[in-house]
Amino acid sequence: MTPPVPTLLVLDADPPPRLGRLTGRARIVHTDAAGLASRLPEADVLLVWDFASHAVREAWPGEGPRPRWVHTASAGVDHLLCPELAASDTVVTNARGIFDRPIAEYVAALVLAMAKDLPRTLDLQRERTWRHREARRVGGTRACVVGSGPIGRAIVRTLKALDVTTALVGRVPRTGIHGPDDLDRLMSRADWVIAAAPLTEQTYGMFDAHRFGVMQPSACFINVGRGQLVDEDALVRALTRRWIAGAALDVFATEPLPADSPLWNVPGLVVSPHMSGDTVGWRDELGTQFVELYERWAAGRSLVNVVDKKRGYVPGH
């Protein structure tokens, strides 16, 4: 007897993933957030294509079987992990490897833009104002990169190419990586503090008034990790009181950023709409990555990019 075709449930977002290679190899069922809970018991695999949704966390607790494998088309997994999923034997994988270089390039662009005062140059151009200024030199500056995963390591490699001296901070100290106990000291010496850590119980709100207080007045802060890493009110105070020279946020506690948020008008703050990892063709890369993972799973081979559900990220870095 031919074994049954596995059911692949897709939590959709627009545009939907291209899964043509799985035709005949999976029964593909699409759902939105409202229908997820009722569909979960019939699924063998769940693809969280709508990686901004918290629907998995809300729908997972409940009656009936649950998928044996959940894949999210994102690097972070905080949007889907709940106690019930974390305690289950369901395997969770992520999109590790897709966003590393694009985010590193974006961080380098922000460093260069802030050092060369490009936001102000564009403002002055719109005002038709000729105002000569001196810019900062990037080479020879220091960066503290918080988050020792693939994204953090890609940021380090890219900044080194700009002759920036870098220090990488991870969950535990090891060769080439500092531990959390070194963070205040490294931040106090850095010209650029870059947050690229996953969101966990240990990292939630880690960039607070104390941390901004230890930074140099000439230093800048960049967040490409998760919005909840930062106490946004503390950052606003640090910028308005000129404790630090500038900041750039690509992620926020609430997304999309509300039109009435004070963050839009803070002097020295660059706001971008969670786009640092999104380059032309990125959705196709995510779809291809999932199909390759599905082929491994269907063949009985071990999956890669497996998340440690207790830690909240893929271990081994």
Side-chain angles (χ1 to χ4, degrees):
M1 177 181 292
T2 303
V5 174
T7 296
L8 166 59
L9 180 63
V10 182
L11 178 59
D12 263 337
D14 190 37
R18 297 182 179 180
L19 302 174
R21 278 170 54 183
L22 300 183
T23 300
R25 303 162 66 185
R27 172 179 170 259
I28 301 175
V29 178
H30 296 266
T31 187
D32 58 12
L36 180 62
S38 63
R39 292 285 194 176
L40 278 177
E42 68 184 89
D44 298 292
V45 179
L46 172 63
L47 168 58
V48 185
W49 190 248
D50 185 359
F51 52 79
S53 172
H54 288 81
V56 176
R57 294 179 62 180
E58 297 164 2
W60 196 271
E63 299 299 324
R66 291 293 182 261
R68 292 174 282 158
W69 167 36
V70 174
H71 176 78
T72 179
S74 61
V77 297
D78 51 277
H79 61 290
L80 59 87
L81 283 183
C82 60
E84 292 82 2
L85 175 53
S88 73
D89 58 2
T90 295
V91 176
V92 175
T93 58
N94 72 351
R96 184 178 188 231
I98 299 294
F99 301 107
D100 309 352
R101 292 185 65 179
I103 291 178
E105 291 173 0
Y106 200 87
V107 168
L110 289 171
V111 167
L112 289 167
M114 290 192 285
K116 305 308 177 184
D117 200 22
L118 291 184
R120 182 61 177 149
T121 295
L122 295 174
D123 288 341
L124 292 170
Q125 179 182 350
R126 283 188 288 269
E127 297 169 7
R128 297 174 180 259
T129 299
W130 181 280
R131 183 174 300 160
H132 181 270
R133 286 133 30 241
E134 294 179 345
R136 298 175 64 184
R137 180 177 293 181
V138 172
T141 59
R142 296 175 179 267
C144 173
V145 180
V146 184
S148 59
I151 293 173
R153 296 200 304 271
I155 292 170
V156 166
R157 289 193 299 271
T158 304
L159 292 182
K160 283 184 176 179
L162 296 174
D163 196 26
V164 176
T165 300
T166 59
L168 185 60
V169 180
R171 187 179 65 91
V172 294
R174 51 208 185 275
T175 303
I177 300 175
H178 297 269
D181 291 345
D182 292 332
L183 181 55
D184 284 2
R185 175 179 61 83
L186 294 170
M187 287 183 63
S188 70
R189 301 171 59 192
D191 300 288
W192 316 99
V193 175
I194 299 150
L199 181 62
T200 67
E201 290 182 2
Q202 291 71 36
T203 62
Y204 188 97
M206 67 183 298
F207 295 100
D208 55 11
H210 166 75
R211 290 268 158 72
F212 294 126
V214 303
M215 291 175 62
Q216 301 182 77
S218 59
C220 294
F221 175 77
I222 297 171
N223 186 16
V224 290
R226 282 290 179 267
Q228 293 87 347
L229 299 176
V230 177
D231 180 335
E232 292 176 348
D233 291 338
L235 177 60
V236 170
R237 289 194 297 273
L239 288 166
T240 55
R241 297 175 184 179
R242 298 186 179 181
W243 295 352
I244 61 176
L249 299 179
D250 186 54
V251 287
F252 301 86
T254 300
E255 297 183 4
L257 187 65
D260 60 355
S261 170
L263 293 171
W264 290 108
N265 300 313
V266 178
L269 177 60
V270 176
V271 171
S272 60
H274 203 151
M275 58 180 285
S276 60
D278 302 347
T279 53
V280 175
W282 65 287
R283 290 184 177 87
D284 289 339
E285 292 182 49
L286 288 170
T288 298
Q289 181 188 54
F290 172 73
V291 168
E292 292 174 352
L293 283 170
Y294 184 91
E295 290 172 341
R296 292 178 66 98
W297 178 82
R301 299 166 58 198
S302 60
L303 289 167
V304 297
N305 290 7
V306 175
V307 173
D308 183 324
K309 293 182 289 183
K310 292 183 179 179
R311 297 182 183 180
Y313 55 87
V314 178
H317 48 69

